[in-house]
Amino acid sequence: MDHKRQALVSLIVFATGLGYGALAGASYEALEPAITWTLALLIFLVGVSMGVDYERLRGSLAKIHRPLILVTATIAGALTSGALLAHFLRIPVGISLAIAAGSGWYSFTGPYLAIIDPYYGFVGFTSNLLREIFMLISYPVFSRRIGFEAISIGGATTMDSTLPVVARFGGVDLALAAFIHGLLLTLTVPFLVPLLASLQF
Amino acid sequence: MNIIYAALLLGLALGLTSSRTRVGRQVKRVTDEALMYVVYALVFLVGASSGRTLVDLASKGDPWLAVHVLSYMLLPGLAGAGFAFIFSRVAGQWTIRGKR
């Protein structure tokens, strides 16, 4: 199956899920166990895929600087877009930067910002949740030309929930870069979001 | 989250073990095929879980809310990809190409 067809199938599957969720009123809480176990299965398969390709993986480990550049770019993108959106959408700069720096980690960004303001908590949760979905849908399309750079779209989710899509469409080398990128962001976001949200301008 | 790390370690161990055997290639082929279908299952579940959120969003009737959500959904990631594109070109010729 080629990339375009797989992307189309992903889109149809997502739309079907969306329709089911809207009609059945399924909440994230209700589906969380199924998502967690499917995710575990995906990560297990990614692990097997990486393990079988051990020789290639070992070669990739020598190139650790690539995910580091990617993390820098992801954070630079979040800060730049957060500042721009604060100006155009008239949102406090600190809050805007914090939402953008959430990097797809909606279960952290949403609840954290909800303590400050429920409205921004909702925006932080939903936008970061949809960012993960945007990555799942768009990566198959972007992977053909900018497979490495497009990992940024997934943010912190590239170490778990969106890692399989990178592995499937980008290959083992990119999956390793995505995992390290997601891991470093997962370590950074819990410090970055509160710091940015505390900015008083 | 611990289950995720455990699954990854277990998968890596199994993959490494099978890479040293004659069935290594077969395991890789079956895994990649299974991966595709499990990705679809995840896409469906994530869609189903966010369906109600989108309905809630529409029912609030605030157009700015949708603009805010969509802006923060799209811009940070795309800007990050843009910066990565620039940084990788500036830093040299080490951008990894995706699998064809």
Side-chain angles (χ1 to χ4, degrees):
Chain A
M1 203 187 286
D2 62 29
H3 278 65
K4 277 183 185 170
R5 197 168 163 200
Q6 282 177 338
L8 186 67
V9 172
S10 291
L11 198 64
I12 292 167
V13 169
F14 176 68
T16 309
L18 210 60
Y20 170 78
L23 293 172
S27 64
Y28 178 78
E29 289 76 20
L31 292 167
E32 195 183 2
I35 292 173
T36 305
W37 284 105
T38 311
L39 201 57
L41 178 61
L42 282 166
I43 297 298
F44 170 75
L45 291 171
V46 168
V48 174
S49 188
M50 282 179 164
V52 172
D53 260 354
Y54 171 69
E55 286 305 322
R56 283 181 65 190
L57 194 71
R58 201 170 59 173
S60 299
L61 280 172
K63 303 159 188 168
I64 191 87
H65 58 282
R66 283 178 285 205
L68 286 176
I69 281 284
L70 203 54
V71 170
T72 311
T74 303
I75 293 172
L79 297 180
T80 309
S81 59
L84 280 172
L85 289 171
H87 177 73
F88 288 112
L89 301 176
R90 299 184 188 287
I91 289 178
V93 177
I95 297 289
S96 179
L97 291 172
I99 297 170
S103 304
W105 194 350
Y106 52 86
S107 57
F108 176 79
T109 312
Y112 187 84
L113 292 175
I115 300 166
I116 299 167
D117 186 318
Y119 179 84
Y120 295 126
F122 184 81
V123 174
F125 180 88
T126 318
S127 60
N128 280 291
L129 173 69
L130 292 174
R131 181 171 168 177
E132 180 181 298
I133 296 162
F134 178 55
M135 173 68 175
L136 289 171
I137 296 167
S138 65
Y139 192 80
V141 179
F142 288 124
S143 64
R144 289 200 75 176
R145 294 205 180 272
I146 51 164
F148 174 69
E149 292 85 349
I151 291 170
S152 266
I153 296 170
T157 69
T158 57
M159 74 167 285
D160 44 47
S161 57
T162 60
L163 179 60
V165 84
V166 178
R168 178 69 188 87
F169 295 99
V172 173
D173 288 343
L174 292 186
L176 182 75
F179 181 79
I180 298 169
H181 168 257
L183 181 71
L184 293 175
L185 279 174
T186 302
L187 295 170
T188 311
V189 168
F191 299 98
L192 197 59
V193 169
L195 179 75
L196 294 169
S198 68
L199 295 176
Q200 298 293 318
F201 61 92
Chain B
M1 194 52 82
N2 287 340
I3 192 173
I4 303 296
Y5 296 131
L8 182 67
L9 289 174
L10 192 65
L12 274 170
L14 192 72
L16 280 168
T17 310
S18 60
S19 72
R20 294 187 173 91
T21 66
R22 282 182 294 176
V23 292
R25 282 183 183 276
Q26 208 173 349
V27 169
K28 170 79 178 158
R29 191 178 53 79
V30 172
T31 305
D32 285 348
E33 189 75 16
L35 203 56
M36 187 171 73
Y37 294 105
V38 184
V39 165
Y40 292 147
L42 182 71
V43 169
F44 177 83
L45 285 169
V46 173
S49 69
S50 58
R52 201 175 80 169
T53 309
L54 287 181
V55 170
D56 289 347
L57 194 74
S59 67
K60 286 185 190 282
D62 179 0
W64 278 107
L65 185 60
V67 172
H68 287 170
V69 168
L70 290 174
S71 303
Y72 286 104
M73 165 199 157
L74 293 171
L75 212 58
L78 291 175
F83 273 108
F85 186 84
I86 296 164
F87 290 173
S88 62
R89 264 68 187 169
V90 168
Q93 297 293 319
W94 39 258
T95 299
I96 311 168
R97 291 278 171 216
K99 190 171 72 178
R100 298 288 168 191

